[in-house]
Amino acid sequence: MLIGIDLGGTNVRAAVVTRKGEVVEKAQRPTDAEGGPTKVVDNIVAVVKEAMERAGVGNGAIIAGAVGAPGPMNWQTGVVYSPPNLPGWKDVPLAEMVTSRLGFTVYVDNDANAACYGEFWSGAARDVDSCVMLTLGTGVGGGIVVEGRLLRGIDGTAAEIGHMCVARGGRLCNCGAHGCLEQYASVSGLVRTAADGIKDGRQTVLTERAGGDLENLTGKMISDAAQEGDAFAQWVIEETGRWLGVGIGSLINLLNPEMVILYGGMTAAGDMLFTPVRDMALAQAFEVPGKRAQIVTASLGDDAGVIGAAGCALQRAER
Ligand SMILES: [Zn+2]
C-alpha cells in the first residue's frame, strides 16, 4: 500500500492507495494553515492515521507516502520554501517532519504535478504515455508527463504552465511578468475579462448582478448568466477558451502529447468552453500533433491529488 497526501490551503486529504492506483480508504480534515507548520504537520499525521485505521493497515503494509504540497519547494530534499497559501512557512523540512512522525518514508512533490501524475496513473490519461494537465482555479497550475515520466526540471520548477506568456505586454501577473496564461485562463482571468468588457460598455445582466461594484463579480455569476443565455457572459467564456487554446496550441507543438487534461469548476461549462479551446489549439498547433492531442476533462475529481501523490511515492521508492 501507498499513502497519498494532498495538502491544500483549506483542507488536507490522505488516502491509502494500492500499487495499481486504487483508493482503499481516505480521510480529510481542515489544514488550519493559520496554525503554522507545526499545526499543519499535526493535521497531516492525524489524517493519515485516520485513513490507515479505516483501511485496517499498519506501517508494515506501507511502501512509502508522498505529500503533494504547494510550491515553491525542493522536491529532492522535501523542503517547502514559502507557499503563498501557507502563511508562516519558510524553508520547512516537510518530508523529514512527516517521515519522523509517521515512521515510514514520506516524499514531497508539487501538488499540481502530483494531480497530473494521478490522472496519468489511473485517471483520464491511464492509457496514454504523455499528457499535460492544466488546473483552472484562482490561478492556472500545470503538470506534464512525457513518455511516462513526470517532468520536474533541474530545480523542480517545471510545468508552470500558468506562467507561459501568451501576450507580450499583456496583463500584469502576480509573478511580476506580463501576459501570463493564468491572467486570462484562470477563474480570476475570466472575471477580469468580464469586468473589462463591462467597463467598455458591453450590455449584460452581470452589470446589475454585480450591484454596481465589479469587485463583486464571480466566476459562478458569469457561468450562471451564460447558461441563462446572456450573450456577453457566453462570449466571456468563449474568449477564455480561446486564450486557453492559444496556450494549449503551444504546449502541443512543444511536447506532442497524446492528451491535454483540463481540471476545475470551469470545465462544467462544457462545449461552451471546450469548442473554442479545441478550435484555437488546432489553429495554433501543427496539424499532426494538433489532431493527435485529445483535449478532455479530468476524471478523478478531488482524488487526483492523493492518488497522484501515492503514484509519485511508488515511483520514487522503487528508484
Ligand atoms: Zn505569471
Side-chain angles (χ1 to χ4, degrees):
M1 297 288 173
L2 301 144
I3 300 295
I5 304 155
D6 182 12
L7 175 60
T10 312
N11 287 305
V12 54
R13 302 165 206 270
V16 177
V17 178
T18 68
R19 295 179 64 106
K20 288 183 174 164
E22 295 144 350
V23 172
V24 180
E25 276 295 347
K26 54 185 175 180
Q28 174 180 334
R29 63 170 58 203
T31 306
D32 289 338
E34 320 72 50
T38 317
K39 182 71 190 154
V40 172
V41 169
D42 285 348
N43 288 328
I44 291 173
V45 170
V47 81
V48 168
K49 287 187 170 164
E50 194 181 329
M52 285 174 67
E53 227 160 78
R54 283 188 194 167
V57 297
N59 277 14
I62 305 299
I63 301 166
V67 187
M73 67 176 60
N74 181 326
W75 65 278
Q76 280 159 312
T77 60
V79 173
V80 174
Y81 301 137
S82 48
N85 56 355
L86 293 174
W89 283 50
K90 190 162 192 320
D91 302 342
V92 175
L94 184 63
E96 203 178 293
M97 287 167 87
V98 179
T99 295
S100 71
R101 294 276 300 276
L102 285 172
F104 51 81
T105 303
V106 178
Y107 304 99
V108 170
D109 254 302
N110 173 283
D111 51 4
N113 286 356
C116 177
Y117 196 75
E119 290 289 343
F120 166 74
W121 190 32
S122 74
R126 65 186 171 279
D127 294 326
V128 306
D129 273 343
S130 304
C131 71
V132 178
M133 178 154 142
L134 290 86
T135 55
L136 312 174
T138 314
V140 173
I144 297 171
V145 172
V146 180
E147 290 161 7
R149 223 167 51 89
L150 194 55
L151 187 77
R152 293 188 175 94
I154 185 71
D155 294 308
T157 69
E160 285 294 352
I161 293 171
H163 300 279
M164 273 190 342
C165 183
V166 291
R168 174 173 174 263
R171 294 175 184 170
L172 178 63
C173 185
N174 302 327
C175 75
H178 284 266
C180 292
L181 179 63
E182 83 168 25
Q183 290 305 313
Y184 301 88
S186 61
V187 178
S188 326
L190 173 94
V191 169
R192 165 87 182 267
T193 300
D196 286 356
I198 293 168
K199 281 180 206 153
D200 285 347
R202 298 284 299 265
Q203 293 305 304
T204 164
V205 296
L206 292 169
T207 313
E208 191 192 315
R209 291 191 188 167
D213 185 356
L214 294 178
E215 293 283 309
N216 294 333
L217 268 181
T218 63
K220 172 96 171 56
M221 269 183 212
I222 297 164
S223 64
D224 286 350
Q227 294 300 335
E228 292 162 25
D230 185 84
F232 172 74
Q234 289 172 349
W235 174 85
V236 170
I237 289 175
E238 289 160 8
E239 185 72 355
T240 303
R242 284 187 281 271
W243 281 113
L244 258 177
V246 168
I248 290 171
S250 291
L251 289 166
I252 288 172
N253 279 346
L254 274 176
L255 301 164
N256 187 194
E258 288 181 70
M259 191 174 275
V260 177
I261 304 165
L262 302 184
Y263 172 68
M266 217 196 278
T267 60
D271 288 346
M272 201 186 295
L273 181 76
F274 277 82
T275 301
V277 167
R278 292 190 180 111
D279 288 350
M280 188 55 87
L282 276 173
Q284 290 291 120
F286 282 152
E287 189 179 347
V288 169
K291 284 187 173 160
R292 163 71 65 183
Q294 308 169 53
I295 302 176
V296 303
T297 39
S299 73
L300 298 176
D302 287 344
D303 284 349
V306 286
I307 295 175
C312 290
L314 179 63
Q315 202 194 32
R316 293 173 69 174
E318 285 184 337
R319 210 162 26 185

